[in-house]
């Protein structure tokens, strides 16, 4: 495997868990995060005392890793609260792998959680107080309006249709119907999506993610230790991220994200190509995300994303199993989705997914997206067969 | 037209001009690139000297959306990204046109308006500017 990442397969995810998906009235974000952390450690057969690397973000705290370490009562040697929006948890796997590989820590815990549905009902964050004087006067409804303008531009340049966008939501709902954890499992048709209340044209409310509570956590160790733990290790084959902007008006090209750079880089690090991916978890905060990101990640040429998803390919049995947990559109979306794309990738590679299990899944892609296409991160994960 | 701000950095200078009804953006004296949003360092050449120039006011809609809002709260409105003739992009609104008539590629012309106690730049369809 010459030319691939030196750390390919050297670290692994050994525990993964969700907590309080859906509605958790009366729970704080720290309680949700801690329950996710406990679940992931139990899954791995480890305890809190083993954790010496803590990676935590939230949308409710200015110092998330400090708040969460204090809450857990641990004093980790490695602390990382890198906030690049919903991309954070996927991107933090890169930091965790480096820290583990170099012996800075032995057990890394990556956690996200939010009570945004029952506490506020809105996507909010401490950064919401950030002064953005060149955009604020115009009443941008963020993040929906930013993605709406990306969708409008993609339709203008490439002829993408609302029906094609709707197919992303319809496929996600079909997968959600097979997931007990999913928040919305009711049948959904393309016509339902098109006829739903418009929020920011061309996106209707059914092109938009859920607003839920929930948390997720994963535990990582070096591969040598991982093989002796409770569950089969899921190896980190690569991880790469990139950023292009903070404000949507500063995005260089609304139809191309930094995933066009970090996605191919992640594939090269892993020595893989898109056709090798058995199951893909690609951040679907809005239907347009999946269309543009599948192009940027190399699953289809730029501009072909609408036609690529429009033929039912993403539906169960359709050829490219995407967001098999139901995604942000139908399973859960507590503000940042990256940890959940990763957890579903782990579950698929372990063969734990019951009726929605993708047969013989050995290579999975987990992709995070932050801000309004501002930060992208791509990880390739593999079962033992992928090494 | 190179002027030293009375105080503060390029952000303060930008808004000081704007409040005076004189909309200006930076132009790098080193490489000639127009720069927006204001910077202390040119993103193209890392230069630190700028002229503050008045844009022509002409632009084109790069993308657009209709923000849906209940009538009792003021109704639907437009938010758009405008590519200025000078080669920079800014967020704004296209006014003087129904939100659903604002289309990508539409030529627009800038106008300063009072908004919540401050001056902001909005755009009208070119040829229909009041
Ligand atoms: Zn310059």
């Amino acid at each position: 495997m010459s030319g691939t990442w030196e750390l390919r397969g050297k670290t692994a995810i050994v525990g993964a868990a969700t907590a309080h998906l859906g509605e958790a009235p009366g729970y704080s974000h720290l309680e949700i995060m801690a329950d996710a952390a406990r679940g992931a450690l139990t899954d791995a057969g480890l305890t809190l005392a083993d954790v010496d690397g803590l990676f935590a973000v939230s949308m409710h705290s200015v110092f998330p890793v400090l708040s969460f370490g204090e809450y857990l009562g641990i004093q980790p040697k490695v602390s990382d609260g890198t906030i690049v929006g919903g991309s954070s948890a996927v991107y933090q796997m890169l930091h965790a792998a480096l820290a583990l590989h170099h012996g800075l820590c032995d057990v890394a815990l990556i956690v996200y959680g939010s009570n945004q549905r029952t506490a506020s009902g809105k996507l909010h964050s401490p950064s919401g107080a950030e002064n953005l004087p060149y955009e604020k006067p115009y009443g941008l409804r963020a993040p929906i309006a930013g993605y709406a303008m990306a969708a409008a531009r993609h339709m203008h340049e490439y002829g993408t249709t609302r029906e094609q966008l709707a197919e992303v939501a319809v496929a996600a709902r079909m997968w959600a119907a097979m997931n007990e954890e999913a928040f919305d499992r009711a049948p959904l048709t393309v016509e339902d999506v098109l006829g739903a209340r418009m929020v920011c044209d061309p996106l209707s409310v059914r092109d938009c993610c859920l607003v839920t509570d929930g948390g997720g956590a994963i535990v990582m160790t070096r591969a040598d230790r991982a093989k002796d733990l409770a569950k089969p290790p899921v190896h980190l084959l690569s991880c790469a991220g990139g950023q292009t902007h903070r404000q949507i008006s500063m995005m260089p090209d609304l139809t191309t994200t930094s995933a066009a750079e970090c996605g191919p880089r992640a594939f090269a690090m892993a020595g893989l190509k898109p056709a090798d991916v058995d199951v893909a978890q690609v951040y679907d905060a809005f239907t347009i995300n999946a269309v543009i990101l599948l192009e940027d990640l190399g699953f289809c040429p730029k501009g072909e994303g609408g036609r690529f998803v429009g033929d039912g390919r993403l539906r169960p049995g359709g050829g490219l199993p995407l967001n098999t947990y139901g995604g942000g559109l139908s399973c859960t979306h507590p503000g940042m989705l990256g940890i959940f794309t990763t957890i579903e990738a782990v579950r698929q590679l372990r063969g734990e997914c019951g009726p929605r299990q993708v047969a013989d899944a050995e290579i999975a892609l987990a992709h995070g997206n932050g801000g309004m296409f501002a930060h992208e991160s791509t990880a390739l994960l593999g079962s033992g067969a992928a090494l | 037209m190179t002027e030293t701000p009375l105080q503060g950095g390029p952000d303060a200078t930008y808004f000081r001009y704007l409040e005076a009804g004189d909309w200006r953006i930076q132009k790098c004296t080193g490489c000639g690139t127009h720069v927006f949003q204001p910077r202390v360092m040119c993103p193209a050449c890392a230069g630190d000297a700028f002229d503050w120039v008045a844009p022509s006011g002409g632009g084109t809609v790069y993308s657009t959306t209709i923000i849906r809002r209940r009538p009792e709260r003021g109704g639907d409105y437009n938010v758009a990204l405008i590519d200025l003739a000078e080669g920079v992009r800014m967020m704004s609104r296209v006014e003087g046109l129904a939100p659903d008539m604002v289309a990508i590629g539409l030529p627009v012309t800038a106008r300063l308006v009072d908004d919540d106690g401050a001056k902001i730049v909005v755009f009208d369809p070119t040829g229909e500017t009041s």
Side-chain angles (χ1 to χ4, degrees):
Chain A
M1 300 301 288
S2 65
T4 58
W5 189 30
E6 186 187 346
L7 270 59
R8 184 190 193 276
K10 295 287 173 55
T11 64
I13 300 171
V14 295
T18 58
H20 299 284
L21 298 192
E23 295 188 328
Y27 279 86
S28 75
H29 72 281
L30 290 171
E31 292 164 345
I32 291 169
M33 292 168 75
D35 276 335
R38 175 166 51 195
L41 287 165
T42 301
D43 189 50
L46 292 168
T47 70
L48 201 53
D50 296 310
V51 176
D52 57 359
L54 184 61
F55 301 73
V57 296
S58 88
M59 302 176 81
H60 307 280
S61 172
V62 177
F63 302 119
V65 73
L66 301 183
S67 297
F68 192 56
E70 174 189 277
Y71 186 87
L72 294 177
I74 63 173
Q75 298 172 5
K77 291 185 282 190
V78 173
S79 308
D80 184 317
T82 304
I83 295 183
V84 285
S87 190
S88 301
V90 175
Y91 192 49
Q92 282 175 314
M93 284 196 286
L94 176 62
H95 302 174
L98 293 170
L100 290 164
H101 180 72
H102 290 289
L104 304 180
C105 64
D106 294 321
V107 173
L109 174 64
I110 303 179
V111 187
Y112 173 77
S114 170
N115 60 353
Q116 66 163 18
R117 180 180 179 87
T118 53
S120 71
K122 288 187 176 169
L123 294 162
H124 73 96
S125 69
S127 66
E130 186 176 346
N131 186 27
L132 300 172
Y134 300 95
E135 293 197 343
K136 190 169 185 288
Y138 300 105
L140 183 77
R141 187 178 291 163
I144 301 175
Y147 287 107
M149 288 194 285
R153 189 73 202 176
H154 202 275
M155 292 165 79
H156 173 81
E157 289 192 24
Y158 301 115
T160 306
T161 66
R162 283 196 64 209
E163 287 80 359
Q164 290 166 342
L165 295 180
E167 184 60 33
V168 176
V170 169
R173 187 63 59 85
M174 289 179 168
W175 287 106
M178 295 186 284
N179 180 8
E180 298 281 347
E181 281 193 334
F183 188 74
D184 199 339
R185 304 173 67 190
L188 183 75
T189 67
V190 168
E191 292 70 30
D192 291 336
V193 179
L194 298 183
R197 173 173 60 86
M198 298 303 291
V199 180
C200 293
D201 296 44
L203 303 181
S204 81
V205 68
R206 296 287 164 250
D207 288 289
C208 300
C209 65
L210 303 166
V211 176
T212 67
D213 298 333
I218 59 170
V219 179
M220 291 177 66
T221 67
R222 285 182 293 278
D224 56 354
R225 182 171 189 187
K227 64 182 189 299
D228 299 324
L229 295 176
K231 295 283 179 69
V234 168
H235 298 273
L236 183 67
L237 306 178
S238 69
C239 187
Q243 70 179 68
T244 41
H245 60 281
R246 164 68 176 88
Q247 305 159 92
I248 193 66
S249 63
M250 295 291 107
M251 185 172 180
D253 175 348
L254 253 59
T255 63
T256 301
T257 74
S258 59
E261 188 280 323
C262 73
R265 186 152 47 90
F267 277 110
M269 289 167 77
L272 297 169
K273 55 189 184 306
D276 297 321
V277 173
D278 298 312
V279 58
Q281 314 297 341
V282 177
Y283 207 104
D284 61 336
F286 301 89
T287 51
I288 186 63
N289 293 56
V291 170
I292 288 179
L293 293 173
L294 285 171
E295 294 172 353
D296 289 345
L297 292 169
F299 286 91
C300 65
K302 178 52 64 184
E304 291 299 315
R307 287 172 283 279
F308 183 75
V309 306
D311 67 355
R313 188 190 308 262
L314 308 182
R315 297 184 179 197
L320 178 61
L322 184 86
N323 299 336
T324 49
Y325 61 119
L329 291 165
S330 284
C331 178
T332 193
H333 201 306
M336 296 186 189
L337 198 64
I339 194 74
F340 303 100
T341 67
T342 306
I343 290 168
E344 178 67 4
V346 169
R347 289 173 170 174
Q348 285 285 351
L349 293 176
R350 287 177 176 173
E352 296 176 343
C353 290
R356 70 179 193 281
Q357 178 64 44
V358 174
D360 305 320
E362 295 176 353
I363 305 286
L365 179 145
H367 186 84
N369 165 94
M372 288 173 273
F373 284 139
H375 190 277
E376 305 295 333
S377 53
T378 308
L380 285 153
L381 302 168
S383 65
L387 294 180
Chain B
M1 272 195 288
T2 303
E3 296 180 25
T4 305
L6 296 177
Q7 61 177 15
D11 271 334
T13 303
Y14 179 85
F15 287 108
R16 184 163 50 82
Y17 274 122
L18 196 60
E19 277 312 299
D22 185 10
W23 179 39
R24 298 195 187 200
I25 63 173
Q26 289 173 304
K27 183 178 183 182
C28 175
T29 60
C31 72
T33 302
H34 287 87
V35 176
F36 183 83
Q37 304 166 5
R39 300 283 198 278
V40 297
M41 186 166 68
C42 173
C45 76
D48 63 357
F50 301 91
D51 292 325
W52 285 88
V53 301
S56 68
T60 306
V61 175
Y62 172 70
S63 196
T64 180
T65 185
I66 308 167
I67 312 279
R68 300 291 185 140
R69 187 173 58 177
R70 288 187 207 136
E72 63 270 26
R73 294 189 179 173
D76 299 345
Y77 63 97
N78 165 264
V79 171
L81 300 177
I82 308 297
D83 284 342
L84 300 185
E86 287 73 19
V88 298
R89 183 173 300 156
M90 67 182 297
M91 183 172 289
S92 188
R93 283 194 296 267
V94 178
E95 302 193 336
L97 192 64
D100 63 347
M101 297 300 290
V102 180
I104 291 172
L106 181 75
V108 290
T109 302
R111 172 167 59 98
L112 300 191
V113 297
D114 289 313
D115 177 87
D116 206 18
K119 285 204 168 48
I120 64 168
V121 182
V122 299
F123 289 82
D124 297 305
T126 296
E128 297 172 32
T129 311
S130 55

